Amino acid sequence: MRRAYDEFLRAHPEYAGTHRLDELRASEYGRLDAQRQVYLDYTGGSLHAESQLRDHTALLGERVLGNPHSASPASAGMTELVERARHAVLRWFNAEGEYTAIFTQNATAALKHVGESYPFGPGGGYLLTVDNHNSVNGIREFAIARGASVAYAPLTTPELRVDRARLAELLAAPAAGRRLFAFPAQSNFSGVKHPLALVAEAHARGWDVLLDAAAFVPTSRLDLRAIQPDFVSISFYKMFGYPTGVGCLLVRNTALPVLHRPWFAGGTVNFATVQGRRHILAPGEAGFEDGTLNYLAIPAVEIGLRHLESLGVETIQTRVRCLTDWLLQSLLALRHSSGRPMVRIYGPVTTEDRGGIVTMNFYDPDGHLIDYRRVEELAGQEGISLRTGCFCNPGAGEAAEGLTEHDVSDALEQTADMTMPRFLQIITHRDGKSAGAIRVSLGLASNFADVDRFVRFAAGLRDQTRLTIGEVSFDIESCRVIRDGS
């Protein structure tokens, strides 16, 4: 590995400037090396630092804290910590005075707030990019139910970037009602960083904008004074691993009156009456924070942000970019003895306008697709954690494989109880296409050794012929021998 590392440093000298992350990996994430684990699923969820748990446990251990919906000392103390975390979030995104931070269960709950509260209606519309998480796709059901139109802006292939010309046409379409445009700052499928300039372009055409920032902000700065979407969804465990169960919707203050909640709940009203059948919703974030928040976990958000600040987001971004470039070039260089490429990368093959996500499929010496589920199983035996499937982003996967509406509808006609494995089997046998892939994602604790181990594992699939979809079995022992000798 030493020779490969030296070559890597020559190609990416700026990586040496990120050495502090190696020190923090040893002190805060030592369990990775102690257990010889390679964690390559940071987009699924980041890893927590040991100090985050210690600091949070110490905070809870020294305070008497109760449900914040009261004026008792325990409640007041808890309210202070919740509000402190809220202000920390707004400071992190440079959004103080411009945005309201609404704590939610997760990023999906944040997106649901927008879907159920946005004033979709006849003459209005919902426009979204084909590349979107299912939690953004799902908002279309609210739009359809209220009579609004729904349209998708396509992607270009093979890079899977937004088709800017077609998007411009869709944004310019006339409308008689309120319209919402949604896109991800970074694709959770391909790692593409979509242009944040789309926010201003959509605003100029009269659209409100929903930005899904969950995959973007763990390794990139989002400055909401420079880029001003109306709604932003955030996942904290994707940023720094802990706590889970707390997300956030950032709403631009000028857009908050646009949202109209279809119901009310405990904690969201200033007044409610049974006899009078009336309620008065609480202003600001309180009107959206249903019931009792995960209040003991919320202070851990401020702790996590402090930890991320100590690491330096720009430093993380530099390290991830260097490692991603080396990973891409190493995978593209893999060949079977026949000369056929072993790997197909979905999306850009350079680090220009892309993050630390590399999504791929492997192919055997005859060009047949290797079952990604079996690759995941073999990787797991080597202590490598990665993710497979469609990553809750069917649009990007369909665009990557060239799947059409006809392909999908034809497959659905074969069974009323469709599952992803069954769909994969149908598509692969009929068209030689895939409906899923293998995703490797890098993050705050990644290092060269992690990427090197994955590349050596991938090289171990060279000349394998019994891993393709449809085979009854696969030759695990043969793979092991190759890996041990690589």
Side-chain angles (χ1 to χ4, degrees):
M1 186 181 81
R2 184 68 211 183
R3 178 182 296 177
Y5 184 57
D6 289 342
E7 293 176 0
F8 167 74
L9 287 179
R10 283 194 291 272
H12 303 93
E14 66 271 34
Y15 184 85
T18 69
H19 65 88
R20 185 166 181 272
L21 296 181
D22 293 316
E23 300 168 3
L24 285 166
R25 173 164 169 143
S27 62
E28 296 281 16
Y29 306 92
R31 59 192 184 276
L32 284 169
D33 296 323
Q35 300 174 32
R36 297 198 73 250
Q37 292 284 317
V38 174
Y39 188 77
L40 299 173
D41 190 26
Y42 286 89
T43 299
S46 189
L47 296 178
H48 65 266
E50 292 178 16
S51 64
Q52 287 176 255
L53 301 185
R54 288 196 304 269
D55 292 350
H56 187 217
T57 301
L59 177 67
L60 298 182
E62 67 190 19
R63 305 283 293 269
V64 177
L65 301 169
N67 188 322
H69 290 158
S70 183
S72 70
S75 294
M78 190 68 251
T79 298
E80 177 191 355
L81 292 176
V82 168
E83 294 310 309
R84 204 167 77 185
R86 195 187 311 278
H87 289 304
V89 171
L90 291 170
R91 283 195 303 273
W92 181 266
F93 294 106
N94 196 20
E96 289 180 292
E98 298 286 336
Y99 283 78
T100 295
I102 299 167
F103 286 123
T104 60
Q105 184 180 5
N106 45 42
T108 293
L111 292 164
K112 187 181 179 184
H113 269 326
V114 178
E116 69 179 8
S117 303
Y118 190 79
F120 292 116
Y126 182 44
L127 171 62
L128 59 165
T129 53
V130 163
D131 182 3
N132 257 309
H133 192 279
N134 266 339
S135 297
V136 181
N137 287 323
I139 292 175
R140 73 188 184 201
E141 301 304 310
F142 291 109
I144 292 169
R146 296 172 197 158
S149 65
V150 173
Y152 278 94
L155 305 178
T156 61
T157 54
E159 291 218 330
L160 304 181
R161 300 188 188 277
V162 176
D163 185 331
R164 298 290 293 274
R166 179 58 183 145
L167 175 60
E169 293 174 359
L170 292 167
L171 289 173
R178 200 100 196 189
R179 299 177 297 173
L180 180 66
F181 169 54
F183 74 100
Q186 178 175 307
S187 172
N188 76 318
F189 181 91
S190 66
V192 166
K193 289 184 176 180
H194 296 297
L196 295 179
L198 295 179
V199 174
E201 290 180 24
H203 279 160
R205 293 290 187 174
W207 293 76
D208 298 315
V209 179
L210 166 60
L211 183 69
D212 178 7
F216 180 81
V217 294
T219 59
S220 302
R221 281 282 186 187
L222 179 63
D223 184 342
L224 292 180
R225 289 196 186 276
I227 306 296
Q228 297 191 318
D230 301 282
F231 314 104
V232 184
S233 56
I234 300 295
S235 173
F236 294 118
Y237 73 83
K238 292 182 186 294
M239 293 178 71
F240 36 75
Y242 179 85
T244 57
V246 182
C248 185
L249 175 65
L250 294 167
V251 182
R252 197 176 178 190
N253 290 339
T254 55
L256 193 59
V258 171
L259 301 181
H260 301 285
R261 301 218 62 194
W263 80 309
F264 67 94
T268 67
V269 289
N270 281 346
F271 176 79
T273 170
V274 173
Q275 299 299 330
R277 308 291 177 91
R278 296 277 303 277
H279 74 277
I280 299 174
L281 203 67
E285 69 275 353
F288 290 84
E289 293 178 343
D290 297 333
T292 301
L293 293 170
N294 191 353
Y295 55 85
L296 291 180
I298 288 175
V301 171
E302 182 182 11
I303 293 169
L305 290 172
R306 285 203 305 266
H307 176 67
L308 204 56
E309 185 66 38
S310 73
L311 297 177
V313 175
E314 291 74 16
T315 302
I316 296 169
Q317 186 175 34
T318 297
R319 171 166 285 218
V320 166
R321 177 177 50 78
C322 294
L323 293 174
T324 301
D325 182 66
W326 191 84
L327 174 60
L328 286 167
Q329 303 317 311
S330 298
L331 291 172
L332 290 171
L334 294 177
R335 292 288 189 275
H336 291 291
S337 297
S338 64
R340 284 184 178 269
M342 294 173 58
V343 182
R344 178 185 175 188
I345 304 293
Y346 297 107
V349 295
T350 71
T351 54
E352 183 179 358
D353 295 327
R354 62 120 68 229
I357 297 170
V358 179
T359 298
M360 71 201 82
N361 266 315
F362 289 90
Y363 291 81
D364 74 7
D366 297 319
H368 298 134
L369 178 69
I370 292 178
D371 192 334
Y372 62 77
R373 296 165 296 183
R374 293 175 176 178
V375 175
E376 181 180 30
E377 184 176 352
L378 292 171
Q381 293 173 9
E382 299 293 328
I384 300 173
S385 295
L386 43 77
R387 190 164 293 264
T388 64
C390 73
F391 323 118
C392 294
N393 189 334
E398 289 164 3
E401 280 291 337
L403 294 177
T404 65
E405 183 179 356
H406 172 75
D407 292 330
V408 176
S409 59
D410 186 56
L412 289 172
E413 287 177 3
Q414 297 189 33
T415 175
D417 189 24
M418 182 62 71
T419 63
M420 192 64 189
R422 175 63 179 144
F423 183 67
L424 173 65
Q425 189 177 46
I426 292 171
I427 290 295
T428 303
H429 279 279
R430 189 186 67 195
D431 304 317
K433 298 177 180 179
S434 177
I438 300 154
R439 186 181 74 189
V440 165
S441 53
L442 307 175
L444 77 180
S446 296
N447 65 9
F448 179 80
D450 292 336
V451 176
D452 183 67
R453 271 184 64 184
F454 177 74
V455 171
R456 286 188 287 120
F457 161 77
L461 300 175
R462 181 177 289 114
D463 294 335
Q464 295 306 301
T465 60
R466 302 188 63 195
L467 295 167
T468 54
I469 295 172
E471 296 289 340
V472 175
S473 62
F474 55 99
D475 196 341
I476 297 175
E477 290 301 321
S478 177
C479 286
R480 284 176 178 161
V481 170
I482 289 175
R483 280 200 301 275
D484 291 341
S486 63

